[in-house]
Amino acid sequence: YHRLLAVQLMEKPLGPESLLLRGARLKNTKEIFGVAVYTGMETKMALNYKSKSQKRSAVEKSMNSFLIIYLMILLFEAILSTILKYAWQAEEKWDEPWYNEKTEHERNSSKILRFISDFLAFLVLYNFIIPISLYVTVEMQKFLGSFFIGWDLDLYHEETNQRAQVNTSDLNEELGQVEYVFTDKTGTLTENEMQFRECSINGIKYQEVNGKLTPEGFSEDSPDGNRHNLMKEEELFLKAVCLCHTVQVNADQTDSADGPWHANGIISPLEYYASSPDEKALVEAASRVGVVFTGTSGDSMEVKSLGKPERYKLLHVLEFDPNRRRMSVIVESPSGEKLLFTKGAESSILPRSKSGEIDKTRIHVDEFALKGLRTLCIAYRRFTPEEYQEIGKRLHEARTALQQREERLADVFNFIERDLELLGATGVEDKLQEKVQETIEALRLAGIKVWVLTGDKHETAVSVSLSCGHFHRTMNILELVQHKSDSTCAEQLRQLAKRIKEDHVIQHGLVVDGTSLSLALREHEKLFMEVCKNCSAVLCCRMAPLQKAKVVRLLKTSPEKPITLAIGDGANDVSMIQEAHVGIGIMGKEGRQAVRNSDYAIARFKFLSKLLFVHGHFYYIRIATLVQYFFYKVSLQRVPVS
């Protein structure tokens, strides 16, 4: 039996698409064969664990420094007093006076032991100089003071019934000393509730009007604006949206007898679940305008186009690395045709496309981005039987490779995802949270510099920064983007530094992408830091999670040693939150990884202003007064009382 199972597993290699995560439910089959993987030290928790230094506030570090100084004073006083004692007892009349005669044991004891005993006696005598109770009192003050954050009703979000949360009380006073704020965009500055706004299909822009896909410029009154049937290009585009995703349908709806359709043929609304809100918004939009994704059954995906059911067999999913900027699926249509559907960032899809309205779509993508919309490009490819046979052979060899599997898979994916025919692009809106602009402006007036670190494309990130007040309309926007070599990046940095020095009046904002950032930090770190510190606001786009932490570490370890704060809502922000002096998690819609790894957690970005300006300010005043009082009390104890 085990030998047969091993043969079956060798014939069908295991990959990410075969992985069942904790909490998964068995459906559409009575039994499965499986193997246990990623156990013991290979679990994700064990592999991702890394020892991190405990965060300490600047006040606590200064207390430790003063404690070392007072300890040195104590040692000096004890040594000096011991030496003076033996110098004073050098005369016979003071060595053994009548009121303090030595015993026989003391006269015969070792001089070294007597010196040590006297030294320890003076340490005990002078130990009042060390404020031992200070640390106990400070810890109690921090612990009890942290309850004020949770009790503050101004930090309570009524819609989600969430209060502010304190995961560590050691950094309360650090909140009032922040100089740099590093913030994520999606889910932190925005609601992370995506809504479909526009799309581009075959070079024509469309909008959803009353559940119909309507070309731009047409209304319901116009002849073309009232059509009910989808054109061939539009239907194929919507089918690609409904097939290339990781969305699941509500189990209660898929398990029902009638399914998502009533007996009279009218569509009943489906409830979709997805880890990506973008995918959910696109699938919901497609279902409203005529192509409905009705769920998965085994290795098949079911869609209904204007009431006509179609079943596509899912052959392959080409996604192995979350840092890739595209996702592809290979499906078999009801007619037996093999199709590849691909979606991803325009920087990844457009260079791989050889046909379709590439230029018009690129223009539309830029227009969507300028409106602050999140964009995705969608393309497809048809395979001949010979091409699909070659692809299946290459995929099997790469997936069963025992060495360099990821590199070989990447090569095969690049071979498959080429010569694409561009279908179009989508534009999804993510609204800003309430009072984001007022909060960022308040941070700026307090002298705190705000850096936005996001994975969105350049135009989208700039548009959102302008709308949320991170960038001002009167601000001179400097750009360090799309550099491929060290020489061009260095030259651009020198020009930016020169422009900033020549103009001291106008405020400057800097936009840098992930590729240029890697080049700038490789050999031109000081020049890059000089440019950034002279800018009022910095926006980093197309950022990987580790790059976010690298940027925070860059400022954190600079010669000025500023106090940094990082705030985010998702798992991709955890490294940034852990790296900063103070990490704040947003209780958003992307799980609780950021909240669990943060020092403080709040429900909305707008609560950051009161957390820093009120709680942080008063915590610093309280702790500073307490520490000064204790050292004052120590010095007062040393003054002789008449």
Side-chain angles (χ1 to χ4, degrees):
Y1 167 77
H2 294 289
R3 190 172 300 174
L4 176 62
L5 177 59
V7 171
Q8 291 176 344
L9 292 176
M10 289 177 63
E11 292 178 353
K12 183 174 178 59
L14 298 177
E17 68 276 3
S18 307
L19 191 65
L20 291 177
L21 301 179
R22 183 182 65 182
R25 292 186 296 173
L26 183 64
K27 296 179 62 177
N28 302 324
T29 183
K30 294 183 178 179
E31 59 184 14
I32 59 171
F33 294 100
V35 293
V37 296
Y38 302 135
T39 60
M41 292 305 297
E42 292 184 350
T43 59
K44 207 156 195 177
M45 180 178 294
L47 292 175
N48 289 338
Y49 176 77
K50 59 177 182 178
S51 58
K52 59 176 183 178
S53 58
Q54 184 180 1
K55 294 182 179 181
R56 298 184 181 276
S57 66
V59 172
E60 188 173 355
K61 292 177 182 177
S62 63
M63 282 171 50
N64 294 336
S65 301
F66 281 114
L67 182 63
I68 293 175
I69 295 175
Y70 273 78
L71 182 61
M72 293 175 62
I73 294 175
L74 174 62
L75 294 175
F76 174 76
E77 287 184 339
I79 294 174
L80 179 62
S81 298
T82 306
I83 294 174
L84 291 177
K85 175 190 175 184
Y86 282 92
W88 181 59
Q89 291 179 344
E91 299 183 24
E92 291 187 7
K93 64 177 181 177
W94 300 119
D95 183 32
E96 205 172 335
W98 61 270
Y99 55 84
N100 191 19
E101 293 183 0
K102 295 180 180 178
T103 63
E104 191 67 25
H105 176 72
E106 290 176 339
R107 294 191 186 96
N108 298 330
S109 62
S110 172
K111 292 184 177 180
I112 297 177
L113 292 177
R114 281 161 47 192
F115 183 88
I116 295 175
S117 177
D118 292 335
F119 172 73
L120 294 177
F122 280 114
L123 281 181
V124 175
L125 186 62
Y126 296 142
N127 70 345
F128 63 85
I129 195 175
I130 303 295
I132 300 175
S133 60
L134 171 63
Y135 283 89
V136 179
T137 308
V138 166
E139 289 300 324
M140 287 296 296
Q141 190 270 346
K142 289 183 177 182
F143 173 72
L144 296 177
S146 63
F147 286 101
F148 287 104
I149 294 179
W151 292 338
D152 192 346
L153 294 180
D154 291 336
L155 304 182
Y156 169 72
H157 191 239
E158 188 174 359
E159 296 178 8
T160 57
N161 191 28
Q162 291 174 332
R163 294 177 177 269
Q165 179 179 327
V166 179
N167 296 329
T168 175
S169 59
D170 293 335
L171 305 173
N172 293 342
E173 65 275 9
E174 202 81 338
L175 292 169
Q177 304 299 304
V178 172
E179 300 173 56
Y180 282 85
V181 170
F182 300 89
T183 175
D184 180 39
K185 184 184 75 67
T186 305
T188 305
L189 300 179
T190 61
E191 292 284 358
N192 202 14
E193 292 182 356
M194 310 301 174
Q195 296 181 355
F196 173 79
R197 291 303 180 205
E198 297 182 71
C199 67
S200 173
I201 304 176
N202 199 29
I204 302 175
K205 287 201 293 186
Y206 291 82
Q207 294 179 340
E208 181 186 353
V209 179
N210 295 329
K212 301 172 186 176
L213 203 61
T214 306
E216 188 181 42
F218 291 90
S219 62
E220 292 187 353
D221 298 332
S222 59
D224 294 337
N226 199 25
R227 56 189 174 86
H228 293 273
N229 296 326
L230 294 172
M231 297 177 62
K232 182 179 179 181
E233 297 85 358
E234 300 169 358
E235 187 176 9
L236 184 60
F237 176 85
L238 295 175
K239 286 181 179 179
V241 170
C242 289
L243 293 172
C244 188
H245 58 71
T246 57
V247 178
Q248 297 293 328
V249 182
N250 187 356
D252 296 335
Q253 293 176 309
T254 57
D255 293 340
S256 61
D258 296 334
W261 296 77
H262 292 307
N264 57 5
I266 301 176
I267 303 176
S268 70
L270 289 172
E271 186 176 1
Y272 296 108
Y273 295 98
S275 58
S276 170
D278 300 77
E279 289 186 338
K280 180 180 177 181
L282 292 176
V283 173
E284 288 177 341
S287 67
R288 290 194 299 267
V289 298
V291 179
V292 184
F293 169 65
T294 58
T296 57
S297 177
D299 58 352
S300 299
M301 303 180 72
E302 299 174 352
V303 298
K304 291 189 177 182
S305 177
L306 296 178
K308 180 182 177 182
E310 296 181 359
R311 176 170 292 188
Y312 288 80
K313 185 177 181 181
L314 182 62
L315 302 175
H316 299 285
V317 178
L318 309 186
E319 186 179 27
F320 71 99
D321 186 352
N323 292 325
R324 292 174 73 236
R325 300 193 182 279
R326 61 186 185 275
M327 172 192 177
S328 301
V329 294
I330 300 178
V331 298
E332 182 180 346
S333 67
S335 62
E337 191 176 21
K338 307 296 192 299
L339 299 173
L340 169 77
F341 290 111
T342 303
K343 70 176 181 182
E346 83 291 340
S347 59
S348 179
I349 301 298
L350 295 182
R352 300 173 185 273
S353 303
K354 72 170 185 178
S355 60
E357 297 293 343
I358 299 176
D359 294 333
K360 290 183 179 179
T361 304
R362 181 181 283 110
I363 294 174
H364 291 165
V365 168
D366 292 339
E367 291 177 358
F368 294 164
L370 290 175
K371 296 177 182 178
L373 303 181
R374 297 165 61 90
T375 59
L376 279 177
C377 289
I378 298 176
Y380 84 111
R381 178 185 175 187
R382 301 179 188 271
F383 295 121
T384 63
E386 294 78 14
E387 288 176 337
Y388 180 74
Q389 187 175 4
E390 176 67 18
I391 287 171
K393 179 182 177 182
R394 292 197 179 197
L395 276 174
H396 180 76
E397 292 176 353
R399 284 172 170 168
T400 55
L402 298 180
Q403 295 180 348
Q404 298 180 337
R405 179 181 295 185
E406 291 191 357
E407 291 78 0
R408 296 184 64 175
L409 278 173
D411 294 337
V412 175
F413 290 174
N414 289 328
F415 172 77
I416 297 173
E417 297 168 328
R418 62 184 177 89
D419 299 335
L420 302 175
E421 183 175 345
L422 186 64
L423 290 174
T426 61
V428 178
E429 181 185 20
D430 188 8
K431 290 185 178 181
L432 287 174
Q433 291 185 14
E434 184 184 4
K435 295 184 178 180
V436 168
Q437 186 171 357
E438 293 86 341
T439 303
I440 292 180
E441 185 62 28
L443 294 173
R444 182 180 290 110
L445 292 175
I448 300 175
K449 290 189 176 182
V450 180
W451 289 35
V452 176
L453 312 181
T454 178
D456 284 350
K457 72 188 300 287
H458 172 208
E459 292 81 3
T460 304
V462 172
S463 177
V464 174
S465 288
L466 288 170
S467 62
C468 72
H470 180 239
F471 283 166
H472 285 296
R473 298 289 177 181
T474 58
M475 189 179 288
N476 183 21
I477 307 298
L478 308 176
E479 294 185 352
L480 184 68
V481 295
Q482 297 181 350
H483 288 284
K484 304 297 182 183
S485 63
D486 287 332
S487 58
T488 59
C489 183
E491 180 61 28
Q492 181 68 14
L493 279 173
R494 295 188 190 98
Q495 293 180 4
L496 294 179
K498 183 179 179 181
R499 290 177 59 181
I500 293 175
K501 289 181 179 178
E502 290 176 352
D503 193 348
H504 301 282
V505 179
I506 300 178
Q507 289 185 336
H508 300 278
L510 177 65
V511 182
V512 57
D513 60 6
T515 305
S516 303
L517 178 67
S518 299
L519 295 173
L521 298 182
R522 187 179 300 172
E523 295 181 359
H524 315 287
E525 183 176 310
K526 291 184 178 179
L527 184 58
F528 175 72
M529 287 300 301
E530 180 184 351
V531 173
C532 291
K533 290 179 180 178
N534 290 322
C535 293
S536 302
V538 178
L539 170 64
C540 299
C541 55
R542 289 301 191 204
M543 295 282 288
L546 290 180
Q547 283 183 312
K548 294 183 178 181
K550 195 171 184 179
V551 171
V552 176
R553 188 184 309 117
L554 185 67
L555 267 294
K556 180 181 175 183
T557 58
S558 61
E560 293 81 6
K561 296 291 190 296
I563 305 299
T564 59
L565 180 146
I567 180 171
D569 72 312
N572 59 335
D573 303 316
V574 169
S575 56
M576 173 179 70
I577 290 173
Q578 290 180 340
E579 185 64 40
H581 290 96
V582 181
I584 296 182
I586 296 290
M587 303 171 186
K589 299 178 176 63
E590 292 191 9
R592 287 293 183 266
Q593 291 92 337
V595 172
R596 286 195 295 265
N597 289 274
S598 64
D599 304 307
Y600 302 90
I602 53 179
R604 285 295 183 268
F605 182 82
K606 64 179 181 180
F607 297 152
L608 184 63
S609 57
K610 185 169 186 182
L611 190 64
L612 299 185
F613 302 149
V614 179
H615 290 284
H617 174 70
F618 283 120
Y619 279 136
Y620 185 80
I621 292 178
R622 295 185 192 118
I623 197 72
T625 305
L626 178 63
V627 173
Q628 290 177 353
Y629 168 74
F630 260 89
F631 283 109
Y632 163 75
K633 186 175 70 171
V634 169
S635 63
L636 190 64
Q637 287 177 347
R638 304 189 64 195
V639 178
V641 180
S642 58

